[in-house]
Amino acid sequence: MKKPAEISRNQEVVLEEIAPFEVALFVKREDELHPHVSGNKYRKLKYNLLEARDKGHETLLTFGGAYSNHIAALAYAGKMHGLRTIGIIRGEELQGREDLIRSNPTLSFAREQGMRLEFISRDLYRNKAEPEFEGLLREKFGDVYFVPEGGTNELAVEGCREILTDEDREFDHICVPVGTGGTISGLILSAGPHQTVLGFPSLKADFLEGEISKYAIPGPNWSLIKEYHFGGYAKVNEKLISFINRFYRSTTIPLDPVYTGKMMYGIVDLIKKNHFAKNSRILAIHTGGLQGIDGMNRKLALKKMPLICT
Ligand SMILES: *Cc1c(COP(=O)(O)O)cnc(C)c1O
């Protein structure tokens, strides 16, 4: 296995509620890799940034929702590398609405980094990967380097192969949240034959196995656990929020409500249901995403729901 250039620490999780089940649970703190290009987005952008520079591009163009971790990360990473950035954002209702943009922590952060924001309808957004749409974007913005939604492509998967280190071979199970499937693909490709990789999708999606199979061979060493999406992407309920807050108080590890919170809820639930054999060693990848907590808390406050502690 390649020696990763950037290594994050593994922190043991000590939680009363799982103590009787005699498994070891650690969190790989990829959220600490970088304050703004956090977690898996750092891994996914690394080789894309090098490629863009090698090919002589001056501008990165990408796509995302209004609270996207990927948008925030790419805006900052682009600035660091001296590249211009354009974010094509889902939701034309935001076009020209300075009030809404300013009150959105992700979009205002991205713009502070110099990202140009363009808002498009959900219909158009759905076709964003079509060659005709890419053609239109090239006409409008010139010779940009395209980074797909969520940042997933071959080079992103290459970067995610650097998450696990040789020391991590002592773990039996590697757990990771799944959005577009790029991160889990890198883990599957770099895990040892004695390890299983368990993905926790944060959305209802039937297409994920297919996406992951573009990069990693379907095989016995990985599976998706689909019971912990909490109703869909960016959907939360009070049970999830209170779990995230309890977990933070007991372990000092902050979790985000879209990805890592759902994964960790699932892991703890599975431990309590005896899914893992006694003495199993479990490593959960903290993929970051903490920038999204502010935006989620603003939505929760409007609904008079409990907030996520930070
Ligand atoms: C983007 C993101 C994911 C999803 O990663 P994929 O490679 O798209 O599956 C998981 N966790 C966090 C915190 C993210 O920001």
Side-chain angles (χ1 to χ4, degrees):
M1 188 161 52
K2 253 188 318 193
K3 192 103 191 102
E6 302 91 356
I7 295 176
S8 53
R9 70 189 170 115
N10 293 343
Q11 179 176 351
E12 184 160 19
V13 173
V14 182
L15 264 189
E16 240 170 74
E17 58 189 302
I18 60 170
F21 299 91
E22 296 181 51
V23 298
L25 174 61
F26 285 75
V27 174
K28 181 172 279 296
R29 298 295 306 271
E30 292 274 293
D31 56 308
E32 295 177 339
L33 272 183
H34 188 280
H36 296 300
V37 191
S38 144
N40 64 346
K41 300 305 184 281
Y42 186 100
R43 305 289 185 183
K44 295 173 86 169
L45 286 171
K46 179 177 169 185
Y47 291 112
N48 276 294
L49 290 162
L50 294 176
E51 173 81 0
R53 203 190 52 195
D54 287 352
K55 294 260 160 76
H57 291 281
E58 291 173 357
T59 306
L60 306 173
L61 183 145
T62 197
F63 309 88
Y67 296 92
S68 162
N69 296 328
H70 168 66
I71 289 289
L74 184 131
Y76 193 92
K79 186 181 77 169
M80 273 192 330
H81 285 73
L83 294 162
R84 279 196 287 274
T85 58
I86 301 169
I88 309 290
I89 310 297
R90 183 178 59 229
E92 60 192 339
E93 69 278 5
L94 294 165
Q95 186 66 53
R97 287 294 302 274
E98 275 310 309
D99 53 331
L100 296 180
I101 297 169
R102 261 200 301 272
S103 67
N104 176 313
T106 304
L107 295 180
S108 44
F109 173 82
R111 210 163 51 177
E112 275 164 33
Q113 311 316 310
M115 181 177 262
R116 171 170 174 184
L117 301 175
E118 295 282 331
F119 300 93
I120 63 172
S121 70
R122 286 168 172 73
D123 270 347
L124 258 183
Y125 192 87
R126 226 165 278 131
N127 299 323
K128 62 190 171 307
E130 300 290 326
E132 301 87 72
F133 190 51
E134 278 201 13
L136 284 177
L137 290 171
R138 268 190 225 285
E139 257 173 51
K140 180 160 180 192
F141 298 114
D143 186 27
V144 298
Y145 181 84
F146 280 95
V147 183
E149 180 183 43
T152 291
N153 58 16
E154 289 282 347
L155 291 172
V157 172
E158 198 54 38
C160 291
R161 293 175 75 139
E162 298 180 354
I163 295 172
L164 295 176
T165 67
D166 289 341
E167 287 74 42
D168 296 333
R169 300 223 150 201
E170 60 152 328
F171 289 99
D172 306 302
H173 305 282
I174 312 293
C175 299
V176 65
V178 177
T180 61
T183 310
I184 191 174
S185 296
L187 291 168
I188 293 166
L189 291 170
S190 57
H194 62 291
Q195 296 178 309
T196 58
V197 180
L198 302 176
F200 293 76
S202 61
L203 62 162
K204 292 189 246 179
D206 303 323
F207 56 82
L208 281 172
E209 278 91 352
E211 287 300 304
I212 296 166
S213 303
K214 287 183 192 166
Y215 306 103
I217 310 154
N221 83 326
W222 64 274
S223 59
L224 297 180
I225 295 176
K226 301 184 170 178
E227 283 78 43
Y228 300 102
H229 57 63
F230 286 80
Y233 188 73
K235 299 248 166 53
V236 300
N237 62 22
E238 298 203 6
K239 240 163 89 179
L240 178 66
I241 295 165
S242 100
F243 171 80
I244 289 172
N245 288 340
R246 235 175 335 116
F247 190 85
Y248 180 52
R249 278 197 298 273
S250 321
T251 66
T252 73
I253 302 174
L255 300 172
D256 84 293
V258 180
Y259 293 105
T260 56
K262 292 180 181 180
M263 167 191 67
M264 193 55 74
Y265 186 102
I267 294 171
V268 168
D269 195 49
L270 289 175
I271 291 174
K272 292 189 199 165
K273 289 177 173 158
N274 285 308
H275 177 88
F276 299 103
K278 219 168 138 175
N279 298 320
S280 293
R281 299 184 64 79
I282 305 162
L283 180 64
I285 311 297
H286 195 316
T287 43
L290 302 173
Q291 71 85 30
I293 293 178
D294 263 7
M296 179 62 80
N297 273 344
R298 286 178 203 216
K299 287 192 267 184
L300 293 172
L302 290 176
K303 293 191 210 160
K304 306 233 181 313
M305 281 173 67
L307 304 188
I308 298 157
C309 307
T310 50

